[in-house]
Amino acid sequence: MGDEEQGRFKRTPMRMQTPYGILYPPRGHWVQGGLLLLAFVGNFAAAKLCGSLLGGISSKAQEALYIPFFIIMFVGYALWVTYLKALAFDLIAKSLWRVVFNWLLHRKKPSSPHEIMPSKEKLVEAAVRAQKGARGFIIVSLPIAFISALLATTIESQRNFIVEFWIVSFCCVGWGLVLSILGRRGFLPLPEEST
């Protein structure tokens, strides 16, 4: 496939338009690894920015602000892993169970591997859905933002408690959004479970 349309897919250099959404190519290992490290360091930077927006907070309060940003990153990745496992089950395991069930009950063997293996279209759909699974960072950031913002209202700062609440909320949700966009666009590596 070049820049022209072939079948139901249209490929451009930086993405492929599919009926299921845009499929972004994964970036190189060095880019993904570097951005993952940068995202890890970004947790500190996001917390520092949030603390500076609050203004005049103690060092203990600044240290406490690091926690929600790390929770968003690590729990967001865990949610992404869970989503990918469910997606893999939906893509492969269901068809395998169907074949086993047909073989045991009806003694019907699959006539070809195509009955077991997903089609190219199903694989493309699964790849798009896997990238869209990065929205787990946003999903995690919403309750974390609310809880952190409630706790932040107890911090002594130069702002009143309502402004503190909104600053911490926006910082946490913003960080979840940044991680989600990086994951969706292929800049963060898809999470893998080590065996």
Side-chain angles (χ1 to χ4, degrees):
M1 280 190 253
D3 287 340
E4 71 280 348
E5 192 170 340
Q6 289 191 354
R8 294 177 47 162
F9 309 113
K10 184 176 180 183
R11 182 186 294 266
T12 61
M14 295 306 292
R15 63 184 185 202
M16 184 169 85
Q17 183 67 42
T18 72
Y20 316 103
I22 296 171
L23 178 62
Y24 296 95
R27 304 309 192 249
H29 294 294
W30 287 103
V31 172
Q32 287 182 336
L35 278 169
L36 183 62
L37 182 62
L38 195 60
F40 185 79
V41 173
N43 289 319
F44 292 105
K48 274 287 198 198
L49 174 67
C50 188
S52 68
L53 290 174
L54 290 172
I57 62 173
S58 68
S59 62
K60 295 266 187 209
Q62 180 61 58
E63 290 170 7
L65 279 176
Y66 294 132
I67 296 168
F69 295 96
F70 280 98
I71 290 174
I72 290 168
M73 184 172 181
F74 290 113
V75 176
Y77 251 112
L79 192 60
W80 200 6
V81 166
T82 304
Y83 180 76
L84 291 178
K85 287 181 180 182
L87 188 61
F89 179 81
D90 184 50
L91 184 67
I92 297 170
K94 279 172 57 176
S95 63
L96 287 176
W97 279 111
R98 194 175 314 116
V99 167
V100 169
F101 181 75
N102 282 333
W103 184 73
L104 290 175
L105 260 46
H106 306 292
R107 297 287 183 214
K108 179 184 169 197
K109 294 181 182 176
S111 59
S112 71
H114 299 292
E115 286 184 34
I116 301 170
M117 299 307 294
S119 66
K120 178 183 177 185
E121 193 157 312
K122 280 285 194 189
L123 290 172
V124 169
E125 177 187 5
V128 171
R129 288 176 62 195
Q131 286 182 344
K132 287 182 176 180
R135 70 181 174 267
F137 292 110
I138 295 173
I139 293 168
V140 166
S141 72
L142 294 172
I144 298 299
F146 181 73
I147 293 168
S148 300
L150 282 178
L151 294 174
T153 60
T154 64
I155 295 174
E156 295 272 338
S157 77
Q158 297 171 349
R159 314 263 186 217
N160 69 24
F161 71 95
I162 294 171
V163 174
E164 287 175 352
F165 181 89
W166 288 111
I167 287 173
V168 173
S169 294
F170 284 128
C171 287
C172 288
V173 172
W175 184 239
L177 182 64
V178 166
L179 292 173
S180 178
I181 290 170
L182 288 174
R184 171 71 175 105
R185 301 281 173 121
F187 287 107
L188 292 179
L190 285 172
E192 297 177 10
E193 188 175 351
S194 58
T195 54

